[in-house]
Amino acid sequence: MPSTELVGRVMAGDPQAERELYDTHVDRVYRTAYRMVGDQDLAQEYTQDTFVRVFDRLGTFRGEAKLSTWITSIAISVVLNGQRKVKRQRTREVDLDDAQGVTIPERRAEPDLKIRLHQAIDRLPTGYRTVFVMHDVEGYTHVEIADALGIQEGTSKAQLSRARAKLRSALGAFEGEWVQ
Amino acid sequence: MTDDRFDEFLDQAAKEYNPPPEPPREAMWQAIQARRSAASPRVVDIREAPSIRLGRPWLAIGMGIAAILALGIGIGRWSGLQTKAVTPPVTVAGTDRTSERSQLAMQLVATMHLSRIDNLLTDLSTQKADSEFIHTTRDLLSDTRLLLDSPRLTDPKLKRLLEDLETILVQIAQLKPHAGAEDRELINDGMAHKEIRSRLRNAIPAGPTA
């Protein structure tokens, strides 16, 4: 069914259409949220927040973008806002640990190359990381990313290229090991 | 090493970054429906609430308040939009009255909302962090965010309090069912440090309205 027709039925209060819309998009939203946060509870919370907002704001969907892109843009906004708050919270907790003189022993053993890569992805600046996860991990196109994030397609490509360069540099010590 | 080889490695290894588990579709759908119906301004829900068999009586009251909260925020936003849309450059008495009404609505919903949080924080020391408790916490967290987003929230003191409460609610929402005393202690320490309970009670002028 075309998404405009589905949206119309949801707006008319058809509960089956609401469920249909949810079923069509929930996997993609949850997967993207999970890839971004790596935490089941948070991914679940962000997915729920996303759909509450989607149903709340469906009247503002004009059909200029694809429905899936519009929903993704809400999901990304929910995840990024949520993560800012989580980060603030974690920073406070780290401060508390410092104040109490708690130290985490340095890991001696070098982790596996893939783990190093995943850690390097975690440490990317938010903008780079968002584009990298959407494109290289989840397979969104640059057009979809640009629509969802409200940026130019060229900006998305540039962010991805910088993200990859940063990862390459972060894994410099392992040069050559990716030939397996 | 070449760029191609690195890209090849990246393409393959990136796919394994935070591999998502199967989404809990039904559980999330139920939670979404619950939040949406709690936010729906159907007055009849408030009257029906006491007849619903819920484990904790204040949950039923809370559902009603959530409906009023959503209605109040809606009124606040609507009157905000109306004011922006029709206000001429010269202030007129009608605009003042509209503004007063929406401020009053905001005060009312904020007081009710803070009362619910106060009840929850009281229960925190005695209740198990079971799914019902966490669900209520998440509802309160969501309502707190709605209030913080409201253009009618102009009181900086109330805003600061809601921001601090948001942080506390995030911590509570992340409690595991069998969270140890240390986790709760950490939350209580945070509350004590920010003087949350006394600020909360000061912000509820005549005690809980619920």
Side-chain angles (χ1 to χ4, degrees):
Chain A
M1 175 191 303
S3 58
T4 45
E5 194 186 323
L6 184 62
V7 169
R9 279 175 52 209
V10 174
M11 293 299 294
D14 178 349
Q16 276 184 346
E18 288 183 355
R19 182 63 203 237
E20 199 178 318
L21 185 146
Y22 171 80
D23 284 341
T24 308
H25 299 280
V26 65
D27 283 10
R28 185 166 153 117
V29 169
Y30 180 82
R31 221 174 42 227
T32 305
Y34 192 92
R35 295 278 200 190
M36 294 283 288
V37 301
D39 178 288
Q40 206 163 346
D41 289 341
L42 283 175
Q44 201 169 325
E45 186 188 326
Y46 294 153
T47 304
Q48 288 164 199
D49 283 351
T50 299
F51 279 98
V52 168
R53 287 190 195 193
V54 163
F55 288 123
D56 193 35
R57 298 179 187 175
L58 203 57
T60 67
F61 175 67
R62 297 277 169 256
E64 288 151 2
K66 273 166 62 182
L67 182 60
S68 59
T69 306
W70 183 74
I71 293 175
T72 303
S73 72
I74 293 177
I76 295 290
S77 162
V78 165
V79 170
L80 294 182
N81 283 331
Q83 286 303 93
R84 264 181 225 123
K85 282 165 188 162
V86 170
K87 199 174 167 187
R88 275 208 299 273
Q89 175 62 29
R90 284 180 185 159
T91 308
R92 281 183 207 152
E93 285 170 3
V94 170
D95 288 348
L96 189 65
D97 286 347
D98 288 347
Q100 292 171 342
V102 176
T103 54
I104 299 161
E106 197 181 326
R107 287 183 67 170
R108 296 284 175 201
E110 277 298 352
D112 167 73
L113 180 57
K114 278 181 191 166
I115 295 174
R116 276 295 285 263
L117 170 69
H118 295 169
Q119 287 170 342
I121 297 171
D122 286 339
R123 285 196 298 269
L124 284 174
T126 308
Y128 294 175
R129 190 165 159 272
T130 305
V131 172
F132 179 82
V133 169
M134 289 180 82
H135 188 276
D136 276 14
V137 182
E138 270 301 299
Y140 287 79
T141 65
H142 283 296
V143 175
E144 286 174 318
I145 296 169
D147 283 345
L149 302 183
I151 57 176
Q152 296 292 319
E153 201 185 325
T155 309
S156 173
K157 287 178 183 169
Q159 300 263 55
L160 180 66
S161 163
R162 286 180 202 132
R164 284 178 178 163
K166 274 193 173 285
L167 293 175
R168 188 193 175 94
S169 148
L171 299 181
F174 292 86
E175 201 167 318
E177 285 192 28
W178 36 79
V179 186
Q180 291 164 356
Chain B
M1 174 263 320
T2 65
D3 284 355
D4 285 348
R5 279 179 180 165
F6 177 73
D7 288 345
E8 215 172 281
F9 160 74
L10 200 55
D11 279 348
Q12 184 257 320
K15 299 281 182 287
E16 293 168 34
Y17 178 67
N18 289 343
E22 190 68 13
R25 296 181 193 89
E26 267 317 307
M28 289 193 294
W29 177 247
Q30 296 303 327
I32 291 163
Q33 290 298 81
R35 280 174 58 181
R36 291 181 67 215
S37 60
S40 164
R42 285 173 60 232
V43 177
V44 70
D45 282 351
I46 301 168
R47 290 197 297 263
E48 285 167 356
S51 68
I52 298 169
R53 288 180 178 274
L54 293 173
R56 292 162 194 163
W58 54 266
L59 273 180
I61 298 164
M63 280 169 64
I65 291 173
I68 297 171
L69 180 72
L71 180 63
I73 290 169
I75 291 169
R77 284 188 172 164
W78 176 81
S79 58
L81 287 172
Q82 291 293 100
T83 308
K84 272 182 208 158
V86 301
T87 306
V90 180
T91 309
V92 291
T95 307
D96 287 346
R97 276 199 299 273
T98 307
S99 172
E100 267 174 34
R101 273 200 301 270
S102 59
Q103 285 300 336
L104 200 66
M106 171 53 84
Q107 264 174 18
L108 179 72
V109 295
T111 303
M112 288 176 168
H113 180 62
L114 294 177
S115 299
R116 288 183 68 204
I117 297 182
D118 195 34
N119 288 340
L120 181 101
L121 295 181
T122 304
D123 283 351
L124 177 66
S125 50
T126 54
Q127 297 280 5
K128 214 169 68 171
D130 58 17
S131 60
E132 195 175 296
F133 188 79
I134 295 301
H135 185 257
T136 306
T137 306
R138 287 186 173 167
D139 280 350
L140 285 170
L141 181 60
S142 163
D143 291 345
T144 303
R145 285 171 176 165
L146 273 173
L147 276 173
L148 280 167
D149 284 345
S150 169
R152 289 286 142 189
L153 180 63
T154 51
D155 179 353
K157 210 165 141 190
L158 177 59
K159 193 173 180 192
R160 273 197 303 278
L161 175 59
L162 285 169
E163 281 170 351
D164 289 338
L165 286 169
E166 186 190 20
T167 308
I168 299 291
L169 291 172
V170 167
Q171 285 178 299
I172 299 173
Q174 290 175 356
L175 276 178
K176 301 286 177 231
H178 300 291
E182 284 170 8
D183 293 326
R184 287 165 191 261
E185 197 89 333
L186 199 66
I187 296 172
N188 283 328
D189 284 352
M191 285 202 285
H193 179 65
K194 295 262 182 186
E195 297 175 334
I196 293 286
R197 297 309 294 272
S198 58
R199 284 164 64 204
L200 194 52
R201 284 181 175 150
N202 285 339
I204 307 171
T209 55

